Amino acid sequence: MMTSLFDGRLAPLTFSIGFLDAPPEEVAAVLVEFFTRVHDGGRATELGGSLEENLLELPPLTIGSQPKVLLASTALDGWTAMFEGDALGQGVAQLTGLLASQLLKVRGYFVSSVPPAGNSGGPLGARQFHMLGPETKLGYVRTVELIENNPGRWYFEAGGEVQPFEDVEAYGSRRRRDRFTEEMLAGYAAAVGLRPWDESFYRNPSYLVTNAATIRYPFTLGQARARLGLDG
């Protein structure tokens, strides 16, 4: 089972995706208010392109700042998908948690699928499923994660309240990579109504939310991919 949007050709933009139980226009308004407060400026522009076209509005990719966020409607009525241009592909995690737990106070999810590093010199692999919401101080209701610490060496961790759809028996597998497989990650997402790696799941209206954050270490998509060894 593939857990890669657009066959990975837009990674790292598609390594991680946030989801929020609120329509995109509401998320956009809250983000503009938040960015205006913390970055002295925020603006939302409606986009009418395909998801791929809209994702290509996110570069330059950055490290240490968050100047652009893409919001897309989804086939799950009333839910918004969120992407952003972190050059390492993980930046949307913190923002999704903040929106779910504090700014919007709604159910949210964060999913991440990064292929194993192997011999490519690319980023270390990851499979992550976070259930988020205002129930806890930091927003983490349930987390299941498989993280590659070094090439070929994995760390598994699960925390919070076990959900009915989880394959808890797999968590005891001898081989760590078998404790949270791609199939399990896709299955958990499907169990809550999400199809993160299916292009047809995403709809318009979409919004590009920008702010006045200082852009540090800018990269084109091609430069970011080369830096991560994704084109090798």
Side-chain angles (χ1 to χ4, degrees):
M1 183 176 294
M2 290 291 293
T3 53
S4 176
L5 187 58
F6 299 117
D7 294 324
R9 67 177 180 271
L10 296 186
L13 293 175
T14 53
F15 274 162
S16 61
I17 311 169
F19 295 94
L20 295 160
D21 186 9
E25 55 271 20
E26 181 179 348
V27 181
V30 169
L31 273 180
V32 166
E33 180 182 356
F34 173 70
F35 285 145
T36 299
R37 189 167 69 249
V38 301
H39 291 309
D40 297 322
R43 179 181 179 183
T45 302
E46 186 170 349
L47 303 178
S50 67
L51 177 63
E52 183 170 1
E53 291 168 337
N54 293 343
L55 283 167
L56 292 175
E57 296 286 340
L58 287 172
L61 281 70
T62 62
I63 295 176
S65 61
Q66 205 162 35
K68 297 180 182 180
V69 176
L70 174 65
L71 306 174
S73 305
T74 72
L76 186 59
D77 189 38
W79 281 72
T80 296
M82 184 163 58
F83 303 81
E84 61 95 67
D86 178 72
L88 301 177
Q90 291 288 315
V92 77
Q94 184 176 2
L95 186 58
T96 307
L98 177 65
L99 284 160
S101 64
Q102 298 181 39
L103 300 182
L104 286 166
K105 297 184 178 180
V106 296
R107 173 66 64 235
Y109 296 97
F110 167 78
V111 296
S112 176
S113 179
V114 183
N119 296 320
S120 68
L124 295 175
R127 294 179 198 129
Q128 296 170 279
F129 177 87
H130 295 175
M131 177 181 285
L132 306 163
E135 297 97 317
T136 67
K137 184 176 181 180
L138 297 178
Y140 297 106
V141 178
R142 178 59 170 167
T143 61
V144 184
E145 303 185 309
L146 183 72
I147 306 294
E148 194 176 24
N149 289 331
N150 292 294
R153 298 180 64 87
W154 296 82
Y155 173 76
F156 172 81
E157 184 176 53
E161 184 179 350
V162 176
Q163 299 300 303
F165 51 78
E166 293 184 45
D167 182 2
V168 294
E169 290 186 9
Y171 301 162
S173 297
R174 182 174 180 181
R175 195 172 77 144
R176 290 181 181 177
R177 281 187 65 176
D178 293 336
R179 297 178 186 178
F180 192 36
T181 64
E182 284 188 279
E183 289 78 11
M184 291 169 66
L185 174 59
Y188 289 12
V192 296
L194 303 175
R195 304 195 312 273
W197 304 283
D198 178 358
E199 180 183 353
S200 69
F201 182 65
Y202 301 95
R203 311 284 173 83
N204 281 328
S206 298
Y207 296 88
L208 185 69
V209 182
T210 58
N211 61 64
T214 301
I215 298 178
R216 300 183 178 91
Y217 314 110
F219 301 92
T220 66
L221 179 58
Q223 287 171 336
R225 288 178 61 84
R227 187 172 182 269
L228 296 172
L230 296 176
D231 291 321

